[in-house]
Amino acid sequence: MRMQLRAAALGQLRGADLELSPGRYVVLSSERGPLVDLVALLAGQQPPRHGQALLDGVTPFSQPSARRKIAALCAEEALPPGKTVEHSVARALGARGASAANAGDVLAAAGLARLADLSPGALGARETRSVALALALAHDAAELVVLHEPLATLVPAPVVLARLDQRTAAGAIVLSATTSTADATALGGQWLCVELGRLRALPGPTPRLGAGPWQQVLVETNDARALARLLHDSAHGLSTELDASPNSLKVTGPALDVTVTELIRLAREHQLELRRIEPAVPPVEALLAARAGFARGAYEAARVAALGNSQAALQPPPPPPASAGTP
Amino acid sequence: MSIAAGIELGRERLRQRGTSLALALALSFELGVALLERAQGALGAADRALLGGAFGVALPLVCYFLVGQACGSGSLRDALWPLARHGLDRRPLTIGLALPAAALAAAFGGLGGALVVLLTRGSSDPRFLGDIWTSFWIGTVSGAAYVAAFVGASAFGRQGRGRAWLLAADFLLGAGDSFLAFPWPKGHVRNLLGGTAVLELSQMGALFALLGTSFAFLWLGSLRNQR
């Protein structure tokens, strides 16, 4: 399974050059437009304006067999018409070749059973997206899962993340697109960067987001061992690593903000002194800032190189040597 | 499978109170025009009512409305997406989506044509039954042809605005009888009803041109949407 984007452009997505193999990816951008278009492109909803989007060598837009392998959540969703949401979901499952009798289970698994008897027309945009997400998450045969803002729906985040973990473990390409750094951190995966409407894989090892060693916090406290015990009992699944020094501790959690909030709460409750807290790896904002800095530096270097010769030519001539008669 | 799913999709979208209300309004308009024409003079009243109010105005507008409903007021691509995304082929889905609207438009066209003749011609007219049958089949074919053309046109433009362009072109260019009128249904429907012929085509030629151009629109739309 391989997803390839070759100079693919659509709407505000000005260009995407990428090759995705099975794994977890998160596309984070401050611009919503390119993300919307990227998901539409990958899901086969729209053809690229130019370039190619290929899933195992075929274009999802023009190949029904390729679309059958894709579970997608687009920015704007519409359900198949039906008397109730459950009928609508049953129709979608039927189109997919799955048993329509499971419609109720699909909704219940996503915590949306209360919507089953409503008319699809009565649903708001967020509810409609939630039902569409439930359908996408229930697609067990999906080899490409592409989701736009999956944590901004009514489906509980733990349900979404658990299903995404399952699909990733099953060898699917799981790609989420979001404008929220917090959601990107929770969703996790290899970070893909959209800048000025252009998406590309970063050269070299790319930073990963989500729970794991890339979400570590270094803490300096008066009693590291006591703090470690308290953190172990925390409900957030934090793990700790004691340093050689009795005052230092390394804490790994699902997200930096969660870890730090929990650290401060426990320290306050148990009168522990926190002398220093710092991330072991820079947070996403710092990476973005660093990227901007690198880009600026590269631009300046290129500018200086380009202008070097012309500036030399344009530089004013050196002042004439002072003549002997000058006062 | 895809055609059946498309039929269900179209049927479900047309199953709204607005659809029956629009059809009732349009039929009332046709019959009102027929009565007015009859009041103006029995001679040629049927022709004027059919060429003007019934097949000239009401039928294209009803077909435009029905296709808009079937497409969920959007483009053909968006209309098919809820099922096409799950791996159904867009081409048979398009045909399926068009069928309920075409059946409804054909029934409306046939019934409207027959009722207009019924109101404008007395039963003492020797051509009464023959004209009712002729208006009925012309209405049926015209309704289906208009729907096919509008469905195809829905694949073009943002939000399926190709439909509106087709309606405008049909009203403006289809009113003539030159080459410019050839692609649009109106001129051929007029020819079938005994009015001015486009490019001096025979009635059989007009029938083929009507069906040919309408299905060409459908084919073009389907081609643009790919599979």
Side-chain angles (χ1 to χ4, degrees), chain A:
Chain A
M1 168 61 47
R2 181 183 294 181
M3 182 83 218
Q4 291 169 299
L5 294 173
R6 293 181 189 151
L10 172 68
Q12 292 184 44
L13 182 69
R14 294 170 60 205
D17 276 296
L18 204 59
E19 189 163 324
L20 302 177
S21 50
R24 188 86 155 254
Y25 302 89
V26 61
V27 187
L28 176 63
S29 171
S30 56
E31 309 160 78
R32 181 175 181 270
L35 299 183
V36 172
D37 293 325
L38 174 68
V39 172
L41 190 66
L42 292 174
Q45 186 182 17
Q46 302 285 347
R49 195 178 64 237
H50 60 74
Q52 287 181 309
L54 303 170
L55 180 64
D56 274 346
V58 296
T59 312
F61 177 75
S62 57
Q63 282 299 327
S65 58
R67 290 198 298 273
R68 197 176 282 270
K69 294 188 280 190
I70 300 173
L73 174 68
C74 300
E76 285 174 20
E77 282 290 352
L79 300 173
K83 281 178 192 159
T84 64
V85 170
E86 189 168 345
H87 284 145
S88 178
V89 170
R91 189 161 283 165
L93 290 173
R96 190 186 281 173
S99 168
N102 294 337
D105 298 338
V106 168
L107 290 169
L112 301 174
R114 65 187 183 283
L115 302 180
D117 294 329
L118 298 179
S119 160
L123 300 185
R126 193 166 179 222
E127 290 163 324
T128 306
R129 288 190 80 240
S130 305
V131 176
L133 177 59
L135 271 166
L137 295 176
H139 193 348
D140 290 329
E143 295 179 17
L144 170 65
V145 181
V146 52
L147 309 171
H148 180 266
E149 300 287 5
L151 298 184
T153 67
L154 301 175
V155 183
V159 174
V160 178
L161 296 174
R163 286 296 294 165
L164 294 187
D165 287 344
Q166 284 174 16
R167 297 309 314 147
T168 312
I173 300 171
V174 178
L175 183 143
S176 310
T178 179
T179 53
S180 157
T181 48
D183 285 0
T185 305
L187 287 161
Q190 187 175 330
W191 180 34
L192 303 174
C193 177
V194 176
E195 282 175 327
L196 299 174
R198 296 191 184 280
L199 169 72
R200 62 184 185 280
L202 301 171
T206 48
R208 293 182 60 88
L209 302 172
W214 47 91
Q215 291 291 352
Q216 288 180 334
V217 178
L218 301 174
V219 186
E220 212 174 287
T221 175
N222 59 339
D223 188 350
R225 199 165 289 276
L227 185 57
R229 269 199 307 275
L230 293 169
L231 289 168
H232 276 195
D233 297 338
S234 150
H236 293 285
L238 305 176
S239 62
T240 58
E241 199 178 308
L242 287 165
D243 205 16
S245 156
N247 298 331
S248 295
L249 183 67
K250 193 183 279 180
V251 187
T252 306
L256 292 178
D257 54 343
V258 173
T259 309
V260 172
T261 310
E262 187 67 0
L263 268 170
I264 293 172
R265 186 184 71 79
L266 289 172
R268 273 191 182 159
E269 275 181 14
H270 297 87
Q271 312 249 319
L272 291 169
E273 182 189 354
L274 290 178
R275 293 174 186 155
R276 193 163 63 95
I277 302 177
E278 66 179 34
V281 293
V284 174
E285 291 86 348
L287 289 173
L288 287 169
R291 279 194 59 76
F294 291 145
R296 178 78 190 175
Y299 166 73
E300 291 295 345
R303 185 168 162 273
V304 168
L307 294 178
N309 292 334
S310 55
Q311 269 185 346
L314 289 172
Q315 264 178 356
S323 64
T326 307

Side-chain angles (χ1 to χ4, degrees), chain A residues 43-47 61-64 67-68 72 74 77-83 91-92 94-96, chain B residues 1 5 8-13 15 77-78 81-90 224-227:
Chain A
Q45 186 182 17
Q46 302 285 347
F61 177 75
S62 57
Q63 282 299 327
R67 290 198 298 273
R68 197 176 282 270
C74 300
E77 282 290 352
L79 300 173
K83 281 178 192 159
R91 189 161 283 165
R96 190 186 281 173
Chain B
M1 161 81 181
E8 273 188 44
L9 192 68
R11 207 174 51 189
E12 203 67 54
R13 289 212 178 109
R15 194 180 289 160
R77 190 180 291 167
D78 292 343
W81 176 241
L83 293 180
R85 68 186 304 171
H86 298 295
L88 295 188
D89 194 326
R90 286 190 182 95
R224 180 174 164 79
N225 261 355
Q226 300 186 26
R227 295 178 64 207

